[in-house]
Amino acid sequence: NIKKAIERASGKDAADFSEVSYEGKGPHGVLFWIDTATDNGTRTVANVRSLFTKAGGELVSNGSLEFLFDRKAVIEFEKTDEINLEEVELALMDAGLEEFDAASERVYIYGDYKDFGGLTKCCEELEVEIAKASLQRIPTSPIELTEEQMEEVEALIDKLEDDEDVQDVFTNIA
């Protein structure tokens, strides 16, 4: 899918692509935020709507769920002995750090999406090797699902991610 999207976007019709977001309610109260890049909005909305309908969900009006997701800058890097985590955390506070999670093998940095550039620049200045940096939609009220419910929701997520126009899928699953 990524390869196809790159080929389409770098082709002669690259200027005709637009970014469109869709919001939906899936099975078991799961909320979805879907980011797409498309050259045919009619096709994309029909595909996404069809997937939701088949899964027992529905698309909702844009803006309906926006308050249930925070847009965040998320940066991830490996924890190593060479990195002084306290020093990194203090330096990142000046760059817009909101949350610093170093509980696992990887360190996760969260900040407002407007601070994405400042946070990544600060990491580079501290010589922290970033493994992944992205803008994400983080749910404000995450929900828990049973294993059976999760399987059903994952099937919908997989089908959405298989669509060539879909770039990202975010949910309110904890």
Side-chain angles (χ1 to χ4, degrees):
N1 285 337
I2 294 169
K3 184 179 175 185
K4 288 178 193 175
I6 291 170
E7 288 171 359
R8 277 195 333 236
S10 61
K12 63 180 180 176
D13 299 329
D16 295 337
F17 276 81
S18 58
E19 293 181 4
V20 182
S21 295
Y22 299 100
E23 300 167 42
K25 293 182 179 179
H28 311 294
V30 175
L31 305 177
F32 286 80
W33 185 283
I34 300 116
D35 288 330
T36 66
T38 183
D39 60 344
N40 184 335
T42 305
R43 177 195 67 227
T44 304
V45 72
N47 290 347
V48 172
R49 180 175 282 121
S50 172
L51 292 171
F52 268 95
T53 301
K54 289 176 184 174
E58 65 179 337
L59 283 183
V60 296
S61 303
N62 280 356
S64 300
L65 304 178
E66 189 158 2
F67 71 98
L68 296 169
F69 291 91
D70 288 332
R71 195 166 179 205
K72 298 287 183 187
V74 181
I75 300 170
E76 171 182 340
F77 62 89
E78 293 289 330
K79 195 187 292 187
T80 64
D81 293 335
E82 294 82 39
I83 298 174
N84 181 336
L85 294 177
E86 288 180 17
E87 180 183 308
V88 171
E89 184 175 11
L90 288 172
L92 288 169
M93 284 181 186
D94 294 335
L97 176 70
E98 291 180 356
E99 186 179 339
F100 190 86
D101 180 6
S104 64
E105 299 269 327
R106 288 191 176 255
V107 177
Y108 295 90
I109 299 166
Y110 298 90
D112 190 83
Y113 76 99
K114 296 175 199 166
D115 296 323
F116 181 79
L119 289 167
T120 54
K121 182 180 177 188
C122 185
C123 285
E124 290 169 3
E125 289 170 355
L126 294 167
E127 298 180 357
V128 170
E129 188 175 327
I130 297 172
K132 184 177 178 184
S134 62
L135 295 174
Q136 296 182 17
R137 300 274 178 174
I138 307 293
T140 57
S141 300
I143 63 169
E144 301 265 341
L145 298 178
T146 66
E147 243 181 79
E148 295 85 23
Q149 292 171 329
M150 194 63 197
E151 286 176 16
E152 191 175 335
V153 172
E154 283 176 346
L156 175 56
I157 293 170
D158 290 343
K159 289 176 184 170
L160 286 166
E161 289 177 340
D162 285 344
D163 188 290
E164 64 183 23
D165 294 334
V166 173
Q167 303 299 303
D168 286 308
V169 177
F170 302 103
T171 68
N172 65 333
I173 299 172

